[in-house]
Short mmCIF file of all heavy atoms in Angstrom, two decimals:
data_model
loop_
_atom_site.label_atom_id
_atom_site.label_comp_id
_atom_site.label_asym_id
_atom_site.label_seq_id
_atom_site.Cartn_x
_atom_site.Cartn_y
_atom_site.Cartn_z
N TRP A 501 -3.84 -16.54 -7.67
CA TRP A 501 -4.97 -15.95 -8.37
C TRP A 501 -5.72 -16.98 -9.21
O TRP A 501 -6.97 -17.01 -9.21
CB TRP A 501 -4.52 -14.79 -9.25
CG TRP A 501 -5.65 -14.16 -10.01
CD1 TRP A 501 -5.94 -14.30 -11.33
CD2 TRP A 501 -6.66 -13.30 -9.48
NE1 TRP A 501 -7.06 -13.59 -11.67
CE2 TRP A 501 -7.52 -12.97 -10.54
CE3 TRP A 501 -6.91 -12.79 -8.21
CZ2 TRP A 501 -8.63 -12.13 -10.36
CZ3 TRP A 501 -8.01 -11.96 -8.03
CH2 TRP A 501 -8.86 -11.64 -9.10
N ILE A 502 -5.00 -17.82 -9.91
CA ILE A 502 -5.65 -18.82 -10.76
C ILE A 502 -6.51 -19.77 -9.92
O ILE A 502 -7.66 -20.05 -10.26
CB ILE A 502 -4.61 -19.61 -11.58
CG1 ILE A 502 -4.04 -18.71 -12.68
CG2 ILE A 502 -5.22 -20.87 -12.19
CD1 ILE A 502 -2.92 -19.34 -13.48
N GLY A 503 -5.96 -20.26 -8.82
CA GLY A 503 -6.73 -21.13 -7.94
C GLY A 503 -7.97 -20.43 -7.39
O GLY A 503 -9.04 -21.04 -7.28
N TYR A 504 -7.82 -19.16 -7.06
CA TYR A 504 -8.96 -18.38 -6.56
C TYR A 504 -10.06 -18.30 -7.61
O TYR A 504 -11.24 -18.53 -7.31
CB TYR A 504 -8.49 -16.97 -6.16
CG TYR A 504 -9.63 -16.01 -5.88
CD1 TYR A 504 -10.32 -16.08 -4.66
CD2 TYR A 504 -10.02 -15.08 -6.82
CE1 TYR A 504 -11.38 -15.22 -4.41
CE2 TYR A 504 -11.08 -14.22 -6.58
CZ TYR A 504 -11.76 -14.29 -5.38
OH TYR A 504 -12.81 -13.45 -5.13
N LYS A 505 -9.68 -17.96 -8.85
CA LYS A 505 -10.68 -17.83 -9.91
C LYS A 505 -11.38 -19.16 -10.19
O LYS A 505 -12.58 -19.20 -10.44
CB LYS A 505 -10.02 -17.31 -11.20
CG LYS A 505 -9.56 -15.87 -11.12
CD LYS A 505 -10.73 -14.90 -10.98
CE LYS A 505 -11.53 -14.77 -12.26
NZ LYS A 505 -12.60 -13.75 -12.15
N GLN A 506 -10.62 -20.24 -10.13
CA GLN A 506 -11.20 -21.55 -10.44
C GLN A 506 -12.16 -22.03 -9.36
O GLN A 506 -13.07 -22.79 -9.63
CB GLN A 506 -10.09 -22.58 -10.65
CG GLN A 506 -9.32 -22.37 -11.95
CD GLN A 506 -8.27 -23.43 -12.18
OE1 GLN A 506 -7.61 -23.87 -11.25
NE2 GLN A 506 -8.08 -23.83 -13.42
N THR A 507 -11.94 -21.60 -8.13
CA THR A 507 -12.80 -22.04 -7.03
C THR A 507 -13.92 -21.05 -6.71
O THR A 507 -14.80 -21.36 -5.91
CB THR A 507 -11.99 -22.29 -5.75
OG1 THR A 507 -11.23 -21.11 -5.44
CG2 THR A 507 -11.04 -23.46 -5.93
N HIS A 508 -13.90 -19.88 -7.33
CA HIS A 508 -14.93 -18.86 -7.06
C HIS A 508 -15.63 -18.43 -8.34
O HIS A 508 -16.18 -17.33 -8.40
CB HIS A 508 -14.30 -17.64 -6.36
CG HIS A 508 -13.85 -17.92 -4.97
ND1 HIS A 508 -12.67 -18.58 -4.70
CD2 HIS A 508 -14.41 -17.65 -3.76
CE1 HIS A 508 -12.52 -18.70 -3.38
NE2 HIS A 508 -13.57 -18.15 -2.80
N SER A 509 -15.63 -19.29 -9.33
CA SER A 509 -16.28 -18.98 -10.59
C SER A 509 -16.74 -20.26 -11.25
O SER A 509 -16.14 -21.32 -11.07
CB SER A 509 -15.31 -18.22 -11.52
OG SER A 509 -15.85 -18.08 -12.81
N SER A 510 -17.81 -20.18 -12.01
CA SER A 510 -18.28 -21.35 -12.76
C SER A 510 -17.43 -21.58 -14.00
O SER A 510 -17.48 -22.64 -14.61
CB SER A 510 -19.74 -21.15 -13.17
OG SER A 510 -19.89 -19.98 -13.97
N GLN A 511 -16.63 -20.57 -14.36
CA GLN A 511 -15.76 -20.67 -15.54
C GLN A 511 -14.39 -21.19 -15.12
O GLN A 511 -13.62 -20.51 -14.45
CB GLN A 511 -15.60 -19.29 -16.19
CG GLN A 511 -14.66 -19.26 -17.38
CD GLN A 511 -15.17 -20.09 -18.54
OE1 GLN A 511 -16.37 -20.20 -18.76
NE2 GLN A 511 -14.27 -20.69 -19.29
N MET A 512 -14.08 -22.43 -15.51
CA MET A 512 -12.82 -23.05 -15.10
C MET A 512 -11.68 -22.76 -16.07
O MET A 512 -10.51 -22.93 -15.72
CB MET A 512 -13.00 -24.57 -14.99
CG MET A 512 -13.94 -24.99 -13.87
SD MET A 512 -13.33 -24.52 -12.24
CE MET A 512 -11.95 -25.63 -12.08
N GLU A 513 -12.00 -22.31 -17.27
CA GLU A 513 -10.95 -22.05 -18.25
C GLU A 513 -10.09 -20.86 -17.82
O GLU A 513 -10.60 -19.83 -17.37
CB GLU A 513 -11.56 -21.76 -19.62
CG GLU A 513 -10.53 -21.54 -20.71
CD GLU A 513 -11.16 -21.15 -22.03
OE1 GLU A 513 -12.41 -21.02 -22.10
OE2 GLU A 513 -10.40 -20.98 -23.01
N ILE A 514 -8.79 -21.03 -17.97
CA ILE A 514 -7.86 -19.95 -17.66
C ILE A 514 -7.65 -19.12 -18.92
O ILE A 514 -7.18 -19.63 -19.93
CB ILE A 514 -6.50 -20.50 -17.17
CG1 ILE A 514 -6.70 -21.42 -15.96
CG2 ILE A 514 -5.55 -19.36 -16.83
CD1 ILE A 514 -5.47 -22.23 -15.60
N THR A 515 -8.04 -17.86 -18.87
CA THR A 515 -7.89 -16.98 -20.03
C THR A 515 -6.94 -15.83 -19.68
O THR A 515 -6.71 -15.53 -18.52
CB THR A 515 -9.24 -16.39 -20.45
OG1 THR A 515 -9.73 -15.53 -19.40
CG2 THR A 515 -10.26 -17.49 -20.73
N LYS A 516 -6.43 -15.21 -20.72
CA LYS A 516 -5.58 -14.04 -20.50
C LYS A 516 -6.35 -12.93 -19.79
O LYS A 516 -5.82 -12.25 -18.91
CB LYS A 516 -5.02 -13.53 -21.83
CG LYS A 516 -3.94 -14.43 -22.42
CD LYS A 516 -3.32 -13.82 -23.67
CE LYS A 516 -2.17 -14.68 -24.18
NZ LYS A 516 -1.53 -14.10 -25.40
N SER A 517 -7.63 -12.78 -20.15
CA SER A 517 -8.44 -11.74 -19.52
C SER A 517 -8.55 -11.97 -18.02
O SER A 517 -8.45 -11.02 -17.23
CB SER A 517 -9.84 -11.72 -20.14
OG SER A 517 -9.79 -11.26 -21.48
N SER A 518 -8.75 -13.22 -17.62
CA SER A 518 -8.89 -13.51 -16.19
C SER A 518 -7.57 -13.26 -15.45
O SER A 518 -7.58 -12.85 -14.28
CB SER A 518 -9.35 -14.95 -15.97
OG SER A 518 -8.37 -15.89 -16.37
N LEU A 519 -6.45 -13.47 -16.12
CA LEU A 519 -5.16 -13.21 -15.48
C LEU A 519 -4.88 -11.71 -15.40
O LEU A 519 -4.28 -11.24 -14.43
CB LEU A 519 -4.04 -13.92 -16.24
CG LEU A 519 -4.11 -15.45 -16.25
CD1 LEU A 519 -2.81 -16.03 -16.76
CD2 LEU A 519 -4.43 -16.01 -14.88
N TYR A 520 -5.33 -10.97 -16.40
CA TYR A 520 -5.19 -9.51 -16.32
C TYR A 520 -6.02 -8.95 -15.16
O TYR A 520 -5.65 -7.93 -14.57
CB TYR A 520 -5.58 -8.85 -17.63
CG TYR A 520 -4.48 -8.86 -18.66
CD1 TYR A 520 -4.66 -9.43 -19.91
CD2 TYR A 520 -3.23 -8.28 -18.38
CE1 TYR A 520 -3.64 -9.43 -20.86
CE2 TYR A 520 -2.21 -8.29 -19.32
CZ TYR A 520 -2.42 -8.87 -20.55
OH TYR A 520 -1.40 -8.88 -21.48
N GLU A 521 -7.12 -9.61 -14.83
CA GLU A 521 -7.90 -9.19 -13.67
C GLU A 521 -7.05 -9.29 -12.40
O GLU A 521 -7.10 -8.42 -11.54
CB GLU A 521 -9.14 -10.06 -13.52
CG GLU A 521 -10.21 -9.83 -14.57
CD GLU A 521 -11.35 -10.80 -14.41
OE1 GLU A 521 -11.52 -11.36 -13.32
OE2 GLU A 521 -12.09 -11.02 -15.40
N GLY A 522 -6.27 -10.37 -12.29
CA GLY A 522 -5.37 -10.52 -11.15
C GLY A 522 -4.31 -9.45 -11.13
O GLY A 522 -3.97 -8.90 -10.07
N LEU A 523 -3.79 -9.14 -12.31
CA LEU A 523 -2.78 -8.08 -12.41
C LEU A 523 -3.36 -6.74 -11.97
O LEU A 523 -2.68 -5.94 -11.32
CB LEU A 523 -2.28 -8.01 -13.85
CG LEU A 523 -0.84 -7.53 -14.06
CD1 LEU A 523 0.15 -8.49 -13.42
CD2 LEU A 523 -0.55 -7.38 -15.55
N LEU A 524 -4.62 -6.50 -12.30
CA LEU A 524 -5.27 -5.25 -11.90
C LEU A 524 -5.46 -5.18 -10.39
O LEU A 524 -5.43 -4.09 -9.82
CB LEU A 524 -6.62 -5.12 -12.61
CG LEU A 524 -6.52 -4.67 -14.08
CD1 LEU A 524 -7.84 -4.95 -14.82
CD2 LEU A 524 -6.17 -3.19 -14.17
N ARG A 525 -5.61 -6.33 -9.74
CA ARG A 525 -5.70 -6.32 -8.27
C ARG A 525 -4.35 -5.90 -7.66
O ARG A 525 -4.30 -5.13 -6.70
CB ARG A 525 -6.10 -7.70 -7.74
CG ARG A 525 -7.43 -8.21 -8.17
CD ARG A 525 -8.58 -7.30 -7.79
NE ARG A 525 -9.86 -7.95 -7.98
CZ ARG A 525 -10.50 -8.06 -9.12
NH1 ARG A 525 -9.95 -7.58 -10.23
NH2 ARG A 525 -11.67 -8.65 -9.21
N ILE A 526 -3.27 -6.40 -8.26
CA ILE A 526 -1.94 -6.01 -7.79
C ILE A 526 -1.73 -4.52 -8.02
O ILE A 526 -1.20 -3.81 -7.17
CB ILE A 526 -0.85 -6.82 -8.52
CG1 ILE A 526 -0.98 -8.31 -8.18
CG2 ILE A 526 0.54 -6.32 -8.15
CD1 ILE A 526 -0.10 -9.21 -9.00
N LEU A 527 -2.18 -4.05 -9.17
CA LEU A 527 -2.04 -2.63 -9.49
C LEU A 527 -2.87 -1.77 -8.55
O LEU A 527 -2.45 -0.69 -8.13
CB LEU A 527 -2.45 -2.40 -10.94
CG LEU A 527 -2.25 -1.01 -11.54
CD1 LEU A 527 -0.82 -0.52 -11.31
CD2 LEU A 527 -2.56 -1.03 -13.02
N MET A 528 -4.05 -2.25 -8.18
CA MET A 528 -4.91 -1.52 -7.26
C MET A 528 -4.22 -1.34 -5.90
O MET A 528 -4.24 -0.24 -5.31
CB MET A 528 -6.24 -2.26 -7.07
CG MET A 528 -7.21 -1.60 -6.10
SD MET A 528 -8.73 -2.57 -5.88
CE MET A 528 -8.08 -3.97 -4.96
N ILE A 529 -3.60 -2.42 -5.43
CA ILE A 529 -2.88 -2.34 -4.16
C ILE A 529 -1.69 -1.40 -4.29
O ILE A 529 -1.45 -0.56 -3.40
CB ILE A 529 -2.42 -3.75 -3.74
CG1 ILE A 529 -3.62 -4.63 -3.42
CG2 ILE A 529 -1.48 -3.67 -2.53
CD1 ILE A 529 -3.27 -6.09 -3.23
N SER A 530 -0.96 -1.51 -5.38
CA SER A 530 0.21 -0.66 -5.59
C SER A 530 -0.18 0.81 -5.68
O SER A 530 0.50 1.69 -5.14
CB SER A 530 0.95 -1.08 -6.86
OG SER A 530 1.32 -2.45 -6.82
N LYS A 531 -1.29 1.08 -6.37
CA LYS A 531 -1.74 2.46 -6.55
C LYS A 531 -2.10 3.12 -5.22
O LYS A 531 -1.98 4.34 -5.08
CB LYS A 531 -2.94 2.50 -7.49
CG LYS A 531 -3.35 3.91 -7.92
CD LYS A 531 -4.45 3.89 -8.98
CE LYS A 531 -5.76 3.42 -8.40
NZ LYS A 531 -6.88 3.55 -9.37
N ALA A 532 -2.51 2.30 -4.26
CA ALA A 532 -2.85 2.85 -2.94
C ALA A 532 -1.63 3.49 -2.27
O ALA A 532 -1.79 4.33 -1.38
CB ALA A 532 -3.42 1.75 -2.06
N TYR A 533 -0.43 3.11 -2.70
CA TYR A 533 0.80 3.66 -2.13
C TYR A 533 1.42 4.72 -3.04
O TYR A 533 2.52 5.20 -2.75
CB TYR A 533 1.82 2.54 -1.89
CG TYR A 533 1.41 1.56 -0.82
CD1 TYR A 533 0.77 0.37 -1.13
CD2 TYR A 533 1.66 1.84 0.52
CE1 TYR A 533 0.39 -0.53 -0.15
CE2 TYR A 533 1.29 0.95 1.52
CZ TYR A 533 0.64 -0.23 1.18
OH TYR A 533 0.28 -1.11 2.17
N SER A 534 0.73 5.09 -4.11
CA SER A 534 1.30 6.06 -5.04
C SER A 534 1.40 7.44 -4.39
O SER A 534 0.65 7.78 -3.47
CB SER A 534 0.44 6.15 -6.31
OG SER A 534 -0.86 6.63 -6.00
N THR A 535 2.34 8.22 -4.87
CA THR A 535 2.52 9.59 -4.39
C THR A 535 1.74 10.53 -5.30
O THR A 535 1.25 10.14 -6.37
CB THR A 535 4.01 9.98 -4.39
OG1 THR A 535 4.49 9.93 -5.76
CG2 THR A 535 4.82 9.02 -3.53
N SER A 536 1.64 11.79 -4.91
CA SER A 536 0.93 12.76 -5.74
C SER A 536 1.61 12.90 -7.10
O SER A 536 0.94 13.12 -8.12
CB SER A 536 0.88 14.12 -5.03
OG SER A 536 2.18 14.59 -4.71
N GLU A 537 2.93 12.75 -7.14
CA GLU A 537 3.66 12.86 -8.40
C GLU A 537 3.45 11.65 -9.31
O GLU A 537 3.53 11.77 -10.53
CB GLU A 537 5.16 13.02 -8.13
CG GLU A 537 5.56 14.33 -7.47
CD GLU A 537 5.31 14.34 -5.96
OE1 GLU A 537 4.98 13.24 -5.41
OE2 GLU A 537 5.42 15.41 -5.34
N SER A 538 3.22 10.47 -8.72
CA SER A 538 3.12 9.26 -9.53
C SER A 538 1.68 8.80 -9.75
O SER A 538 1.45 7.83 -10.48
CB SER A 538 3.90 8.12 -8.86
OG SER A 538 3.29 7.75 -7.63
#
């Protein structure tokens, strides 16, 4: 994720916010497999 952000953005600084964006991508994929209960 860090390499992706650095090569697809003019902002090279690694911030916690940018890493949480990566975490949200993982969560988005995980949520696609969620059940009605979860």
Side-chain angles (χ1 to χ4, degrees):
W501 179 256
I502 288 175
Y504 169 78
K505 290 294 288 184
Q506 288 182 323
T507 54
H508 291 78
S509 172
S510 59
Q511 177 64 33
M512 294 297 290
E513 182 184 2
I514 303 168
T515 65
K516 287 185 176 181
S517 291
S518 67
L519 297 192
Y520 277 123
E521 289 176 21
L523 209 64
L524 282 164
R525 298 301 192 279
I526 296 171
L527 186 51
M528 179 182 70
I529 294 170
S530 303
K531 189 173 70 173
Y533 293 96
S534 63
T535 62
S536 57
E537 292 79 9
S538 67

